[in-house]
Amino acid sequence: MQPPKLTDEQQRYLDHLRVQRRLAERTLTLYTEALERLTALALAGDVPLLRLTAHQARRFLAQLHQAQLSPRTLALILSAWRGWYRWLGQNGMVSANPIVDLRPPKVGRPLPKALAVDDAVRLADYEEPNADPVGEALDRCIVELLYGGGIRVSELVGLDLRYVPSSLGWIEPDTQEAQVLGKGAKRRSVPLGGPALKAIQDWLAVRPQWAQDGEPALLVHKRGRRITPHQVRARLKQRALHAGMPTHVHPHMLRHSFASHLLQSSGDLRGVQELLGHANISTTQVYTRLDFQHLAKVYDAAHPRAKKK
């Protein structure tokens, strides 16, 4: 069944998120799907969206819960609905937000999945036998920037070779930094280590073989244009399989690995928060739980009183 057509107000809200809030494409896709669910429920119940009541919204939530959607999915859907009605209120199209008091079922916050240090280094150092040298240089650059800099995939694909007024991000070789535009249009500087700088240098040496003239993007695909998040995920998945990684590897796992390994070595939670670009330190604190889990495993493996013999 085709999803229902979004209303003009919903489309304007999504345009606002794309242009003003600069939300990532993946987030926009999820918000679009959430608004499509809302529209379908309203059509089925013959409920005008701009006159939705809190009681009707609660009934919609119950229907989604009965469809066995996970608490995390319900939370995302409610966030999208709540944001849309807040925007409608700010623009004088509704008098109250019917979603404001709705809450999804509680769910435990899962720990982020990170690679072991040895696995992360092995993935970065892996060399594919008989590989296309251009693709190999691109893959190494992707891994070194994601793991060595802890940047998001949206920040990665937004990097340009150098600053121009339209740049979302760019490389500054003189200061050995990358300038990236994170969530909420917040810019931050990301230091680049030796391996990342070497990977960038090696990629730039072969980039002209793929890049079209005038393409500003640092990373390009085989047709010469800016690489997409989907292409990054696919290339990283393939590289991880060939390198024999013990788990499925995706870009955000390398960001988690960056944060976890940095915290294990430094213990500097505020520093990790700044490097990740987290607005709230509570978001970064999840890595302290991951760090404790790592320490607990070390204790269990090494201390003579850790386990009963």
Side-chain angles (χ1 to χ4, degrees):
M1 181 183 295
Q2 289 289 331
K5 183 180 178 181
L6 294 178
T7 67
D8 290 343
E9 292 84 4
Q10 288 171 330
Q11 194 58 64
R12 284 171 54 199
Y13 173 63
L14 292 172
D15 291 341
H16 162 76
L17 295 180
R18 180 182 295 105
V19 177
Q20 301 297 325
R21 298 279 303 281
R22 294 183 181 273
L23 292 193
E25 284 301 319
R26 175 60 178 162
T27 305
L28 287 169
T29 298
L30 294 172
Y31 272 47
T32 300
E33 293 172 353
L35 292 178
E36 287 172 347
R37 288 182 186 274
L38 175 61
T39 304
L41 289 165
L43 287 172
D46 195 24
V47 176
L49 283 171
L50 298 187
R51 293 202 294 274
L52 182 71
T53 66
H55 175 75
Q56 291 166 332
R58 193 172 294 107
R59 189 173 76 241
F60 288 174
L61 177 61
Q63 289 177 251
L64 294 179
H65 189 58
Q66 289 170 0
Q68 298 185 331
L69 297 182
S70 71
R72 287 179 63 83
T73 299
L74 292 174
L76 188 145
I77 289 171
L78 285 179
S79 177
W81 293 2
R82 191 178 299 113
W84 182 52
Y85 277 102
R86 184 187 306 118
W87 178 83
L88 288 173
Q90 291 168 349
N91 287 274
M93 286 181 271
V94 296
S95 59
N97 189 334
I99 316 298
V100 69
D101 292 325
L102 287 188
R103 296 291 179 268
K106 288 189 177 181
V107 60
R109 189 175 185 181
L111 287 175
K113 294 181 180 178
L115 290 171
V117 174
D118 289 346
D119 286 335
V121 173
R122 180 155 57 95
L123 178 64
D125 291 342
Y126 174 73
E127 294 184 10
E128 177 71 21
N130 305 315
D132 173 9
V134 183
E136 182 70 11
L138 173 61
D139 290 346
R140 185 180 293 273
C141 196
I142 287 172
V143 173
E144 289 293 355
L145 285 169
L146 290 173
Y147 175 56
I151 62 178
R152 301 176 177 92
V153 67
S154 59
E155 297 167 347
L156 174 76
V157 301
L159 289 173
D160 286 342
L161 288 166
R162 60 190 63 85
Y163 172 77
V164 295
S166 60
S167 294
L168 299 180
W170 62 92
I171 299 295
E172 292 185 343
D174 292 342
T175 58
Q176 300 183 352
E177 292 177 338
Q179 298 292 330
V180 300
L181 192 68
K183 288 186 176 180
K186 294 181 179 178
R187 191 170 297 287
R188 71 182 190 282
S189 299
V190 176
L192 300 174
L197 292 169
K198 177 65 165 55
I200 293 172
Q201 184 180 34
D202 291 345
W203 162 245
L204 291 179
V206 297
R207 178 183 177 277
Q209 298 181 42
W210 279 10
Q212 294 188 18
D213 291 342
E215 173 56 55
L218 172 67
L219 304 180
V220 299
H221 53 68
K222 209 164 188 176
R223 293 183 179 180
R225 292 304 186 190
R226 186 182 302 274
I227 199 168
T228 67
H230 175 75
Q231 290 168 330
V232 170
R233 292 186 189 97
R235 297 191 72 92
L236 183 58
K237 179 181 178 180
Q238 191 74 5
R239 182 180 180 86
L241 285 172
H242 290 175
M245 291 293 103
T247 185
H248 167 64
V249 178
H250 52 83
H252 221 65
M253 179 179 282
L254 293 185
R255 178 171 159 87
H256 290 325
S257 302
F258 164 86
S260 175
H261 301 166
L262 190 60
L263 189 59
Q264 287 172 19
S265 300
S266 69
D268 186 352
L269 189 64
R270 287 288 182 184
V272 174
Q273 177 194 3
E274 185 173 342
L275 289 170
L276 291 175
H278 285 163
N280 195 316
I281 199 166
S282 64
T283 309
T284 317
Q285 283 174 330
V286 67
Y287 294 106
T288 63
R289 293 167 56 202
L290 197 64
D291 186 37
F292 180 80
Q293 188 181 69
H294 165 76
L295 293 175
K297 287 180 179 178
V298 172
Y299 173 80
D300 287 342
H303 198 281
R305 290 291 188 262
K307 292 181 180 179
K308 293 181 180 179
K309 303 297 183 182

